[in-house]
Amino acid sequence: MKKITITFPDNSSIQVENEIRPVTLMNHFADNGQKILACRVNNEVCPLDSLIDINASIEPVYENTKEGAAIYRRSLCFLLAVAAHNLFPDARLLVGHSLDYGYYYTLDREEAIGREQIEALKKEMQRLVDADEVIECEVISYQDACATFEKLGLIETRKQLNYYTPARIKINSLDGFADMYFGPLVSSTKVLDVFDLMPYQEGFLLRFPKHENPDTLPEFKDQPKLFEIYKRYKAWGKRLNVTSAAGLNQLISERKVNDFIDITETLQVKCIADIADQIQKKKTVRVVLIAGPSSSGKTTTSKKLALQLRAIGYKPHVISLDSYYLGREETPKDENGDYDYECLEALDVKQINEDLLSLFDGKTINVPCYDFHEGKRYYKGETMTLGPNDILVMEGIHGLNDKLTPLIAPELKFKIYLSALTQLNLDDHNRIATSDNRLIRRIVRDAQFRGKNAAGTIAMWDSVQKGERLHIFPFQNNADAMLNTALDYELSVLRVYAAPLLRCVTPMEKEYSEARRLLAFLENFCTIPATAVPNQSIIREFIGGSAFHY
């Protein structure tokens, strides 16, 4: 009989015989007033009822952490799917994109869901919570999984099993319903007591709390422009019959994906051309400000927009706001004492406005550069002057914030917000998070061009997202135009590059759990070789080989 050692966060340990489940070890964890939703076992996030049969270091995953929030939201999605199956067994529940702190859902049927039906769904979810039902997690055979999803009418989930074919499939089940998720769920419904269903457009929002305050729902802040972009792309995907990973995989397996790539790239170019036409129609624009979160494709978009502007008679000049960073000695520091390059105060706002006013007056300016290694701004003799048909394109994270350009008249500015908002789902109930798409882009780019491994990129991602929440997302509704920079085939390309990088993250590193989650996510996509990617594609910004010089 073997003995295994369990080590806790305070470095204390116990020995047990053969195996043990985390749920029996709750008294070893600190009681900080927060619910424990799962456990890290050797840096892999596991359900509380999972089996530990090897030596392991374990620590709790509390509800007020990023990982805890992800588990809570995923479990809420499952709870909603169970409720929808109980009330509307003949209708497909379809998850959409995130909107503020919520996910947009519709029912796939002729008439839109009404308020009474939404309220009935909410009551059914609450009934399941009050009943304190166990959410079972089990492994079944591939054959049994196929039969289960066919019986339950989970069309896209069953279709995906044509391309994702492990012999053993992990499923979650509750109240006669079962589904497949790519991360752990909570073990009981009773912890899912903070949520709301809110009517929105043709469907409704499943609302959930912020991880910093898991006991209350935040005030809803609508994002109508972003929703319209999503709605447009979702309708486009439906017309092409490619709304899920399974639909994309089918095209790849049938060797029909090249046409889809061409259509996808053409649509994006058309959207950029439409924005160029908007700029021309405004007539007074002298500077285009492009903003978006990390890895949204700002650099390539600025260059592609410049081409479209040139085609309609402008002479564009492209410049990055990064060139206007202050010297390191003047750069603010964050609460950890690190230089905060994400805040507006890290930029020389005074010089930006002076240069813009000079350019608009027909004067010549010296174009700055910035050396991140030395932490200094410098000049290498490049100058710029704007003629009558010249227009400036500036890209950077603060472009939508009017505090960046307070001296520039509104009629001289045109603001564009970028978001990598894929319309694809993994299946009916598993969405593709915009942040996952961007993180995978960044992991690939950091390895290709910055010498950073996947663990390093994952480690700093929380800080990046914090900066986005503070400095980018609050200003997105200020945009004159929004552009979706996601390409619905890109994850099949990025998998080729990202998967080997993610496999190099070891269980000795904190980033292991996120790396394993992303690997499981990418396994849903058949691969597409880089040779299929056009040289002006935004994807080239991350994998290399772009026709544009960076």
Side-chain angles (χ1 to χ4, degrees), residues 13 29 31 39 81 96 99 127 153 167 243 267 270 284 314 345 454 544 550:
S13 63
F29 301 133
D31 183 2
C39 272
L99 196 69
R127 181 190 72 78
T243 60
L267 175 64
K270 182 184 184 304
T284 57
Y314 288 100
E345 291 74 19
Y550 298 129

PDB file of all heavy atoms in Angstrom, residues 13 29 31 39 81 96 99 127 153 167 243 267 270 284 314 345 454 544 550:
ATOM      1  N   SER A  13       2.384  19.412   5.979  1.00  0.00           N
ATOM      2  CA  SER A  13       2.049  18.282   5.110  1.00  0.00           C
ATOM      3  C   SER A  13       1.460  17.139   5.917  1.00  0.00           C
ATOM      4  O   SER A  13       1.625  17.069   7.144  1.00  0.00           O
ATOM      5  CB  SER A  13       3.287  17.804   4.340  1.00  0.00           C
ATOM      6  OG  SER A  13       4.272  17.330   5.232  1.00  0.00           O
ATOM      7  N   PHE A  29      -7.121  24.709   5.050  1.00  0.00           N
ATOM      8  CA  PHE A  29      -6.986  25.985   4.342  1.00  0.00           C
ATOM      9  C   PHE A  29      -7.485  27.131   5.218  1.00  0.00           C
ATOM     10  O   PHE A  29      -8.405  26.963   6.019  1.00  0.00           O
ATOM     11  CB  PHE A  29      -7.770  25.974   3.024  1.00  0.00           C
ATOM     12  CG  PHE A  29      -7.343  24.897   2.075  1.00  0.00           C
ATOM     13  CD1 PHE A  29      -8.274  24.093   1.451  1.00  0.00           C
ATOM     14  CD2 PHE A  29      -5.997  24.678   1.817  1.00  0.00           C
ATOM     15  CE1 PHE A  29      -7.885  23.102   0.571  1.00  0.00           C
ATOM     16  CE2 PHE A  29      -5.594  23.683   0.944  1.00  0.00           C
ATOM     17  CZ  PHE A  29      -6.538  22.890   0.321  1.00  0.00           C
ATOM     18  N   ASP A  31      -9.462  30.244   6.486  1.00  0.00           N
ATOM     19  CA  ASP A  31     -10.830  30.725   6.298  1.00  0.00           C
ATOM     20  C   ASP A  31     -10.791  32.249   6.209  1.00  0.00           C
ATOM     21  O   ASP A  31     -10.684  32.944   7.210  1.00  0.00           O
ATOM     22  CB  ASP A  31     -11.698  30.288   7.477  1.00  0.00           C
ATOM     23  CG  ASP A  31     -13.163  30.700   7.307  1.00  0.00           C
ATOM     24  OD1 ASP A  31     -13.485  31.284   6.248  1.00  0.00           O
ATOM     25  OD2 ASP A  31     -13.963  30.457   8.226  1.00  0.00           O
ATOM     26  N   CYS A  39      -9.424  23.527  -6.313  1.00  0.00           N
ATOM     27  CA  CYS A  39      -8.089  23.457  -5.733  1.00  0.00           C
ATOM     28  C   CYS A  39      -7.042  23.426  -6.834  1.00  0.00           C
ATOM     29  O   CYS A  39      -7.289  22.897  -7.930  1.00  0.00           O
ATOM     30  CB  CYS A  39      -7.925  22.196  -4.878  1.00  0.00           C
ATOM     31  SG  CYS A  39      -8.415  22.413  -3.172  1.00  0.00           S
ATOM     32  N   ALA A  81     -27.788  26.198 -18.766  1.00  0.00           N
ATOM     33  CA  ALA A  81     -28.058  25.171 -19.789  1.00  0.00           C
ATOM     34  C   ALA A  81     -28.993  24.097 -19.248  1.00  0.00           C
ATOM     35  O   ALA A  81     -29.894  23.624 -19.959  1.00  0.00           O
ATOM     36  CB  ALA A  81     -26.746  24.553 -20.271  1.00  0.00           C
ATOM     37  N   GLY A  96     -23.500  33.696 -26.681  1.00  0.00           N
ATOM     38  CA  GLY A  96     -22.851  34.671 -27.551  1.00  0.00           C
ATOM     39  C   GLY A  96     -21.629  35.266 -26.878  1.00  0.00           C
ATOM     40  O   GLY A  96     -20.958  34.590 -26.092  1.00  0.00           O
ATOM     41  N   LEU A  99     -20.713  40.848 -22.560  1.00  0.00           N
ATOM     42  CA  LEU A  99     -21.157  42.239 -22.603  1.00  0.00           C
ATOM     43  C   LEU A  99     -21.154  42.736 -21.168  1.00  0.00           C
ATOM     44  O   LEU A  99     -21.940  42.258 -20.344  1.00  0.00           O
ATOM     45  CB  LEU A  99     -22.552  42.339 -23.212  1.00  0.00           C
ATOM     46  CG  LEU A  99     -22.987  43.734 -23.664  1.00  0.00           C
ATOM     47  CD1 LEU A  99     -22.178  44.188 -24.872  1.00  0.00           C
ATOM     48  CD2 LEU A  99     -24.472  43.742 -24.007  1.00  0.00           C
ATOM     49  N   ARG A 127     -34.169  27.516  -8.323  1.00  0.00           N
ATOM     50  CA  ARG A 127     -34.638  26.251  -7.728  1.00  0.00           C
ATOM     51  C   ARG A 127     -33.489  25.256  -7.598  1.00  0.00           C
ATOM     52  O   ARG A 127     -33.329  24.587  -6.572  1.00  0.00           O
ATOM     53  CB  ARG A 127     -35.763  25.649  -8.576  1.00  0.00           C
ATOM     54  CG  ARG A 127     -36.323  24.346  -8.007  1.00  0.00           C
ATOM     55  CD  ARG A 127     -37.254  23.657  -8.976  1.00  0.00           C
ATOM     56  NE  ARG A 127     -36.566  23.070 -10.109  1.00  0.00           N
ATOM     57  CZ  ARG A 127     -35.898  21.911 -10.076  1.00  0.00           C
ATOM     58  NH1 ARG A 127     -35.813  21.217  -8.949  1.00  0.00           N
ATOM     59  NH2 ARG A 127     -35.316  21.441 -11.158  1.00  0.00           N
ATOM     60  N   GLY A 153     -29.761  16.542 -27.949  1.00  0.00           N
ATOM     61  CA  GLY A 153     -29.913  17.531 -29.012  1.00  0.00           C
ATOM     62  C   GLY A 153     -28.825  18.585 -29.043  1.00  0.00           C
ATOM     63  O   GLY A 153     -29.041  19.684 -29.571  1.00  0.00           O
ATOM     64  N   ALA A 167     -10.434   8.964 -26.524  1.00  0.00           N
ATOM     65  CA  ALA A 167     -11.190   7.760 -26.163  1.00  0.00           C
ATOM     66  C   ALA A 167     -12.012   7.974 -24.905  1.00  0.00           C
ATOM     67  O   ALA A 167     -13.045   7.320 -24.706  1.00  0.00           O
ATOM     68  CB  ALA A 167     -10.234   6.583 -25.969  1.00  0.00           C
ATOM     69  N   THR A 243     -20.366  28.773 -37.612  1.00  0.00           N
ATOM     70  CA  THR A 243     -20.632  29.472 -36.355  1.00  0.00           C
ATOM     71  C   THR A 243     -19.945  28.812 -35.164  1.00  0.00           C
ATOM     72  O   THR A 243     -20.072  29.286 -34.037  1.00  0.00           O
ATOM     73  CB  THR A 243     -22.141  29.532 -36.073  1.00  0.00           C
ATOM     74  OG1 THR A 243     -22.649  28.195 -35.991  1.00  0.00           O
ATOM     75  CG2 THR A 243     -22.872  30.295 -37.169  1.00  0.00           C
ATOM     76  N   LEU A 267     -13.677  40.412 -46.129  1.00  0.00           N
ATOM     77  CA  LEU A 267     -14.631  41.134 -45.291  1.00  0.00           C
ATOM     78  C   LEU A 267     -13.914  42.149 -44.413  1.00  0.00           C
ATOM     79  O   LEU A 267     -14.363  43.297 -44.272  1.00  0.00           O
ATOM     80  CB  LEU A 267     -15.422  40.157 -44.429  1.00  0.00           C
ATOM     81  CG  LEU A 267     -16.376  40.805 -43.417  1.00  0.00           C
ATOM     82  CD1 LEU A 267     -17.472  41.601 -44.127  1.00  0.00           C
ATOM     83  CD2 LEU A 267     -16.998  39.757 -42.494  1.00  0.00           C
ATOM     84  N   LYS A 270     -12.829  45.075 -46.430  1.00  0.00           N
ATOM     85  CA  LYS A 270     -14.000  45.900 -46.756  1.00  0.00           C
ATOM     86  C   LYS A 270     -14.391  46.778 -45.569  1.00  0.00           C
ATOM     87  O   LYS A 270     -14.733  47.963 -45.737  1.00  0.00           O
ATOM     88  CB  LYS A 270     -15.183  45.024 -47.166  1.00  0.00           C
ATOM     89  CG  LYS A 270     -16.427  45.841 -47.558  1.00  0.00           C
ATOM     90  CD  LYS A 270     -17.608  44.947 -47.871  1.00  0.00           C
ATOM     91  CE  LYS A 270     -18.804  45.777 -48.345  1.00  0.00           C
ATOM     92  NZ  LYS A 270     -19.197  46.825 -47.370  1.00  0.00           N
ATOM     93  N   THR A 284     -13.365  66.952 -42.310  1.00  0.00           N
ATOM     94  CA  THR A 284     -12.484  67.814 -41.506  1.00  0.00           C
ATOM     95  C   THR A 284     -11.375  67.057 -40.782  1.00  0.00           C
ATOM     96  O   THR A 284     -10.570  67.672 -40.078  1.00  0.00           O
ATOM     97  CB  THR A 284     -13.314  68.563 -40.450  1.00  0.00           C
ATOM     98  OG1 THR A 284     -14.018  67.603 -39.640  1.00  0.00           O
ATOM     99  CG2 THR A 284     -14.303  69.507 -41.106  1.00  0.00           C
ATOM    100  N   TYR A 314      -5.911  60.426 -49.984  1.00  0.00           N
ATOM    101  CA  TYR A 314      -5.134  60.991 -48.889  1.00  0.00           C
ATOM    102  C   TYR A 314      -3.666  60.570 -48.994  1.00  0.00           C
ATOM    103  O   TYR A 314      -3.341  59.567 -49.637  1.00  0.00           O
ATOM    104  CB  TYR A 314      -5.660  60.505 -47.538  1.00  0.00           C
ATOM    105  CG  TYR A 314      -6.980  61.094 -47.112  1.00  0.00           C
ATOM    106  CD1 TYR A 314      -8.166  60.391 -47.279  1.00  0.00           C
ATOM    107  CD2 TYR A 314      -7.037  62.354 -46.517  1.00  0.00           C
ATOM    108  CE1 TYR A 314      -9.380  60.917 -46.880  1.00  0.00           C
ATOM    109  CE2 TYR A 314      -8.252  62.893 -46.099  1.00  0.00           C
ATOM    110  CZ  TYR A 314      -9.412  62.171 -46.285  1.00  0.00           C
ATOM    111  OH  TYR A 314     -10.617  62.701 -45.883  1.00  0.00           O
ATOM    112  N   GLU A 345      -0.377  59.006 -17.933  1.00  0.00           N
ATOM    113  CA  GLU A 345       0.685  59.870 -17.422  1.00  0.00           C
ATOM    114  C   GLU A 345       2.072  59.426 -17.847  1.00  0.00           C
ATOM    115  O   GLU A 345       3.041  60.172 -17.671  1.00  0.00           O
ATOM    116  CB  GLU A 345       0.599  59.934 -15.890  1.00  0.00           C
ATOM    117  CG  GLU A 345      -0.612  60.662 -15.348  1.00  0.00           C
ATOM    118  CD  GLU A 345      -1.905  59.858 -15.478  1.00  0.00           C
ATOM    119  OE1 GLU A 345      -1.820  58.626 -15.651  1.00  0.00           O
ATOM    120  OE2 GLU A 345      -2.989  60.461 -15.421  1.00  0.00           O
ATOM    121  N   ALA A 454       6.148  31.207 -22.984  1.00  0.00           N
ATOM    122  CA  ALA A 454       4.707  31.278 -22.722  1.00  0.00           C
ATOM    123  C   ALA A 454       4.423  31.600 -21.268  1.00  0.00           C
ATOM    124  O   ALA A 454       3.504  32.376 -20.962  1.00  0.00           O
ATOM    125  CB  ALA A 454       4.037  29.963 -23.121  1.00  0.00           C
ATOM    126  N   GLY A 544       4.623  36.330 -38.014  1.00  0.00           N
ATOM    127  CA  GLY A 544       5.730  36.756 -38.871  1.00  0.00           C
ATOM    128  C   GLY A 544       5.393  36.624 -40.346  1.00  0.00           C
ATOM    129  O   GLY A 544       4.368  36.063 -40.742  1.00  0.00           O
ATOM    130  N   TYR A 550       7.568  46.295 -39.673  1.00  0.00           N
ATOM    131  CA  TYR A 550       7.303  46.779 -38.313  1.00  0.00           C
ATOM    132  C   TYR A 550       8.593  47.288 -37.679  1.00  0.00           C
ATOM    133  O   TYR A 550       9.669  46.826 -37.963  1.00  0.00           O
ATOM    134  CB  TYR A 550       6.709  45.657 -37.444  1.00  0.00           C
ATOM    135  CG  TYR A 550       5.375  45.161 -37.964  1.00  0.00           C
ATOM    136  CD1 TYR A 550       5.141  43.812 -38.172  1.00  0.00           C
ATOM    137  CD2 TYR A 550       4.371  46.066 -38.259  1.00  0.00           C
ATOM    138  CE1 TYR A 550       3.916  43.368 -38.644  1.00  0.00           C
ATOM    139  CE2 TYR A 550       3.132  45.618 -38.733  1.00  0.00           C
ATOM    140  CZ  TYR A 550       2.922  44.277 -38.919  1.00  0.00           C
ATOM    141  OH  TYR A 550       1.703  43.836 -39.385  1.00  0.00           O
TER     142      TYR A 550
END
